[in-house]
Structure formats: C-alpha cells, structure tokens
Amino acid sequence: MKAGALQLAETDDLTAWDAWVEQSPQGTVFCKSTFLQSLNARFRLFAVMANTQVVALLPLLEDDAGQVVRYPFTPYQGILFLPKISTVQHRRVVDEFRITEFLVNELTARYQRIDLPLSWQFADLRPFLWHNHGVADAPHFVAQPRYTALLDLRSLDASSYPQAMRACRRQELRKAASLQVSEHADLDAFSVLYASTFSRQGIDVGTQRLQLVRSIATSAIRYGYGRLSACTTADGVGAMNLFVYDSKRAYYLFAANDPALRNTGASTRLMFDSILEAKRRGLDELDFVGVNSPARGDFKLSFNARLQLYFELGYAANGTRAS
C-alpha cells in the first residue's frame, strides 16, 4: 500500500461490496449484503480508501440510537483487509496497523458506544488497546476473549473420519445408522422445534428472537447460501440444523433438537452428514461458530475440531456499554 492519506467512504453499492468481501481473508458470509439484509436491522457499509484504492472494509450494525452494536447470530465482522495491502510480512503489519489506527479514530469520533465482533483472522488489536493509552480517566476499548472451533476438511475422509471423533460420538453414529437425513425446507417445523428446544430448558426465546432466526434461515435458503436439514427417526424429527456457506468455509449457525429423542443419536448423525456436505461442496474448513457454553461447546469439540481464539471489542465514551 503506497503512502498517502486514508479516507473513509460509505457505500451503497452492494454488488461491489460483496465482491470486496469475497476478496478479504476476514470476509465471511456474515459480512455479505444478503445476510445483513436478513437481520432487518440498520447497517452501514464503509470502505477505506488509499490513493483511490479500496484497502479495507468496515460493516457496522447500529441500534435505534445510532450506536454500533453486536447483533445476535452475527459473528466475525469488524475490519476486513483487502489483498491490495502489501504481501511482504513486515510491510503488511505496518499497513494493517495504520488502517486500524485510522478506523479507531474514525469510530471513536463518530460513536459513543461500540460493540464490534472481530474475525478470528484479525490479528493485531494494538490500535484498539492503545487508544487513549496513558490518558487518565479516558475511555478505552475492552477486548473480550471468545472461542470457536474449526474443523479442517481438506484431508477429511468419510470412512476414516469417525475414528477421529470422540468415542461417544462414534457410538451414537452407529446407533443412528438407519435414520434418514435429508435437506429440509419446512421453516414452520424448524421454528416450532427451535422454540421447543429452548422451552424444555426453561428458556423463552421470545417472539423477536424467533422472528430473527426465521428471517436469517429464510434468506439463506432463498438465496442459496444456506442448507436446512433434518434427521428423522421412527418417532418423528429428532434434530434439525442450518448451515450457511461462503467460498471459504461452512458455518454451523442454528440447531434444534427434540429432547425426547436425544438417545437416538439423531443430533450426531445430522452433524456428521452436515460435515460431509461441507466437504462435498469443496470447502476447506468448517466453523462451529462458538464454543462458549459448556454443553454445546463440548459437543462441537467432540467432532475433533480445534479451538480458535477471537475477540469482541467494546467501547463506551461515557463508561456505559451498549446492551
């Protein structure tokens, strides 16, 4: 990247935006315009310009007060760098630092509250952590560590892969060998099962959250970047899940299970099939999208996925974080 003044430009060219996201190592399906539109939320798309070239992107979601928020089911946004940045390691580090520092200053000048989920491929948090460094009683960014789990699909073989899974998963897979797995399009059935999954745990997901889940799933299926599938037992549907995809990887986004059928192995069988589907699509990697609660995290890691650290950033000029 040649030296020069950086500029921040807002864009509404969704076609160009999606093409830029595709180029970025940090770009995911969660930054694409169709996914953002499915949230039915206010979003803004910013491009960082250097010498008339786009060198970075920043998608932002705003609440009703116009502050930056982290939206449910929407990880890995934050800053996206484009390959126009130098490929030489030491130069790239300097360029990315300079861009991030520029955006930190822009963000804190524009917003009082900021909640930003970064990609796990975003490495250098220093410009955020050094903002107002050494200034007493000044607001600072707080980095919250989070974890996801990644599965390498490149060398995965369907016949030998079960041996890499935890023993209990292999046992459940054998038990569920006769169950039927199929792609599904019944969002009504999924919505009912999703709500009842949490209801049986004493959790009311609420109408607004359920509508958001349905909107995301509807968009993913309609525009071809998602797959809803189900595992059916003799007593009905035991498990359903929604995976979303981009050119880089598959993402495990939603799951719904019937607790009355939990001993059938349906959840494990469905996950195994979904992993193989990602492999069939020619993807290199599968992201389980978070292992930050004990039970669900343990289930995901039992498929021989590796832990991956990422961060969510929070900032409040008045000391009060966005909800």
Side-chain angles (χ1 to χ4, degrees):
M1 186 177 73
K2 295 180 180 179
L6 296 174
Q7 294 182 322
L8 189 63
E10 189 167 7
T11 181
D12 59 3
D13 186 340
L14 301 184
T15 301
W17 174 267
D18 288 340
W20 292 330
V21 170
E22 186 69 24
Q23 295 174 41
S24 172
Q26 294 82 25
T28 68
V29 63
F30 304 108
C31 301
K32 292 287 188 73
S33 62
T34 310
F35 180 88
L36 291 170
Q37 289 171 327
S38 76
L39 301 175
N40 297 313
R42 179 179 175 180
F43 65 89
R44 302 178 70 180
L45 308 176
F46 292 97
V48 180
M49 312 290 295
N51 302 306
T52 73
Q53 285 192 322
V54 177
V55 295
L57 308 173
L58 182 64
L60 296 177
L61 288 157
E62 295 181 349
D63 62 12
D64 291 340
Q67 302 303 308
V68 178
V69 293
R70 177 173 46 83
Y71 226 68
F73 315 119
T74 312
Y76 315 143
Q77 294 191 322
I79 300 171
L80 286 60
F81 298 114
L82 267 65
K84 294 181 179 68
I85 296 175
S86 176
T87 57
V88 178
Q89 175 65 22
H90 70 86
R91 185 66 248 176
R92 184 172 66 250
V93 170
V94 173
D95 287 343
E96 291 184 356
F97 184 97
R98 179 177 167 232
I99 291 168
T100 304
E101 189 175 46
F102 166 76
L103 285 171
V104 167
N105 291 330
E106 288 289 328
L107 282 168
T108 54
R110 292 167 181 252
Y111 297 101
Q112 295 294 303
R113 291 179 284 116
I114 302 165
D115 273 284
L116 207 58
L118 299 178
S119 163
W120 49 264
Q121 296 218 70
F122 185 92
D124 191 352
L125 273 66
R126 292 176 301 161
F128 288 102
L129 301 179
W130 292 354
H131 179 67
N132 284 332
H133 179 68
V135 181
D137 300 322
H140 297 85
F141 281 89
V142 176
Q144 174 72 31
R146 307 286 285 173
Y147 289 92
T148 190
L150 303 174
L151 181 64
D152 190 341
L153 301 175
R154 289 169 294 185
S155 60
L156 186 144
D157 177 76
S159 59
S160 60
Y161 172 54
Q163 295 303 312
M165 294 159 48
R166 194 175 296 167
C168 63
R169 298 285 91 86
R170 294 197 299 272
Q171 182 179 5
E172 290 170 350
L173 197 58
R174 288 193 293 270
K175 182 188 297 186
S178 64
L179 302 186
Q180 297 298 311
V181 175
S182 60
E183 193 165 346
H184 215 281
D186 189 343
L187 285 170
D188 290 332
F190 174 71
S191 297
V192 170
L193 189 61
Y194 185 86
S196 64
T197 299
F198 289 93
S199 177
R200 290 185 179 99
Q201 302 173 44
I203 302 171
D204 181 6
V205 296
T207 302
Q208 187 175 4
R209 182 63 62 95
L210 198 59
Q211 289 174 342
L212 175 59
V213 168
R214 189 183 180 102
S215 180
I216 291 172
T218 298
S219 176
I221 295 169
R222 177 181 298 165
Y223 295 106
Y225 62 89
R227 179 179 185 253
L228 182 67
S229 54
C231 184
T232 305
T233 75
D235 297 311
V237 174
M240 298 181 75
N241 67 30
L242 178 79
F243 273 76
V244 293
Y245 309 94
D246 55 32
S247 63
K248 300 178 180 70
R249 60 188 67 86
Y251 305 85
Y252 176 41
L253 195 56
F254 298 137
N257 307 292
D258 188 338
L261 301 174
R262 64 184 179 274
N263 293 324
T264 63
S267 297
T268 294
R269 172 65 191 281
L270 183 58
M271 178 61 76
F272 182 73
D273 180 83
S274 298
I275 291 169
L276 296 188
E277 172 64 21
K279 174 72 174 180
R280 285 192 291 268
R281 288 173 178 252
L283 299 171
D284 290 341
E285 197 168 45
L286 186 148
D287 188 336
F288 284 90
V289 190
V291 288
N292 297 296
S293 62
R296 287 191 290 272
D298 184 70
F299 175 74
K300 294 173 181 179
L301 287 169
S302 70
F303 288 90
N304 200 38
R306 66 176 174 86
L307 274 176
Q308 176 64 54
L309 176 67
Y310 68 100
F311 292 91
E312 294 173 353
L313 294 171
Y315 173 89
N318 59 4
T320 304
R321 288 277 301 280
S323 61

